[in-house]
Each structure stands twice: as structure tokens, then as C-alpha cells.
Amino acid sequence: MPIETPAALHALFVHGMGRSPLSGWPMLWHLRRAGMQTDTFGYATSFESFPAIAGRLAARISRLAGQGDYVLIGHSLGGVLIRAALDAMPPGTRQPHRVFLLGSPIGASRLAKLLHDQPLYRLLTRDCGQLLASEQRMQHVPAISAPTTGIFGVRGIAATRGPFAGEANDGVVAVAEISAAWIGDEVRLPVVHTLLPASPLVARAILARLAGINSNS
């Protein structure tokens, strides 16, 4: 039986780097089926800087906040953009009912640090890719004060060497890279990083949290 959520609750999905709003449509279909309103926010790292994207997102969230209760869902870089955008919103703006971070790095990404000098990586990811590789810049992206759930994929690379040696990971980030004391709720699912926004397990976890069910299934 579908988990019931308030029909007036609006969800905004922000995709990850190198992806598009289409990546979240399978998950958003499940949310709409449960009665939620859904929308997406798109960007292109090849053409926009991180501050420019975060500024557009802050304006979008501010408009959404004026319409009623809402939740934010950010995949990978999308979660970092959400953190920056929430910090840039005008004082007194309605805060999200809950934020869901899907495999979103809190500090600098190990893979980004390995790739940041590669010409193709620099061409495709530009400022956003360099931000993900910078400990200093990532430290300036603030925590989220609203209730936050971290959804972590753990079907990644099992190896004794490499950036994730001996650690739970989703193939792109280790669980240690996406954990933080201010993330009050964590869900670990057998999903790889790229497929987190498309997974019905992720949609189920989101709906369970919104229904007040604290379950990892």
C-alpha cells in the first residue's frame, strides 16, 4: 500500500553533476503517485559557475517557499548546491520541511581531487568540479539547519586498494565523505551512486520519512 503524504507538499529535485533533471524522474514518479507535487531544477556545469547556479537555485527555492510546505532532494553536487542556496535565501524565508541528500559530499570529494587536473574533467565540470576538489571551498558550504536525511548508497567498489579501500561506498563517494554530525538521519541502501535518483528504494525511504516512519527499508 502506498505511503500517504500530504498532497500539498511540494518536492524540488536537484540533479548531480553531469546528469540532468531526467535522472530523477523515476523517483519523482513514485512521489507523485503518493500524492506529492514535484518539480526539478536544471543546470550545466560546463557553462555556469557554482555561485551562479546556487544563486538561481536560491531564487527558485524562495519562490517555492512562498507557496507552502516543501522538501528538497539533492543528488551528489545537487545537495551541495542546496546547502549553498539555503544559506543565500533572505532572512525569514520558509525553511524546507525536510532535505534529502542522496550521496552528496560534505567535504572535498576524493575522486574530484584525483581528477581535478585532468583536461577532460576540467572542461566538463569547470568551476563546480574544482569546488568539489577543494577542501577550502567545500568547508565554506554551510550545514543545513532544517531536518536532513542522508541517503547513502553502499553497492560500490569492494577493494583493498584505491580511494575507497575497505570502506563502504557507492562507487563515487565513500560513506565517510557524505556523513556529518548535523545530518540527523541516515539511510543506507544497496544502490550505486548514479542510480540513487532512479531507485524505488530511495523513493520509498523518502516517503517513509515524510510519513514519520523511521525505517531503513
Side-chain angles (χ1 to χ4, degrees):
M1 179 179 298
I3 301 171
E4 295 183 358
T5 57
L9 195 59
H10 202 133
L12 178 65
F13 169 70
V14 185
H15 63 83
M17 187 165 66
R19 307 302 302 280
S20 78
L22 289 173
S23 65
W25 281 20
M27 171 187 63
L28 298 179
W29 179 85
H30 287 284
L31 302 189
R32 289 193 297 271
R33 187 166 174 262
M36 295 179 65
Q37 302 176 66
T38 66
D39 209 344
T40 59
F41 175 86
Y43 61 90
T45 58
S46 297
F47 304 105
E48 296 180 274
S49 68
F50 181 85
I53 300 169
R56 285 201 300 111
L57 179 57
R60 179 71 172 277
I61 294 174
S62 294
R63 293 194 297 271
L64 183 61
Q67 300 171 13
D69 290 331
Y70 65 100
V71 299
L72 301 174
I73 306 168
H75 177 222
S76 199
L77 177 64
V80 183
L81 285 163
I82 285 174
R83 289 162 54 197
L86 288 175
D87 185 61
M89 292 199 307
T93 303
R94 183 196 303 263
Q95 291 294 298
H97 178 73
R98 181 169 285 273
V99 178
F100 296 91
L101 301 178
L102 317 183
S104 182
I106 304 303
S109 161
R110 297 175 192 176
L111 284 185
K113 288 194 286 187
L114 288 174
L115 297 172
H116 80 282
D117 279 335
Q118 299 299 315
L120 183 59
Y121 176 82
R122 294 177 69 91
L123 176 66
L124 295 177
T125 67
R126 297 198 180 263
D127 182 57
C128 289
Q130 296 306 302
L131 171 116
L132 289 176
S134 170
E135 293 285 1
Q136 182 179 17
R137 291 184 67 186
M138 286 294 287
Q139 286 176 3
H140 285 86
V141 182
I144 295 172
S145 59
T148 302
T149 294
I151 299 183
F152 308 156
V154 292
R155 180 169 285 177
I157 301 169
T160 57
R161 296 182 179 181
F164 310 128
E167 295 186 62
N169 68 87
D170 64 10
V172 173
V173 290
V175 168
E177 296 178 85
I178 53 183
S179 301
W182 52 266
I183 299 178
D185 178 41
E186 296 182 358
V187 185
R188 301 191 184 198
L189 299 172
V191 184
V192 297
H193 186 85
T194 302
L195 297 181
L196 281 168
S199 171
L201 294 177
V202 171
R204 182 178 177 84
I206 290 172
L207 291 170
R209 275 5 189 226
L210 296 178
I213 301 171
N214 190 17
S215 169
N216 285 338
S217 61

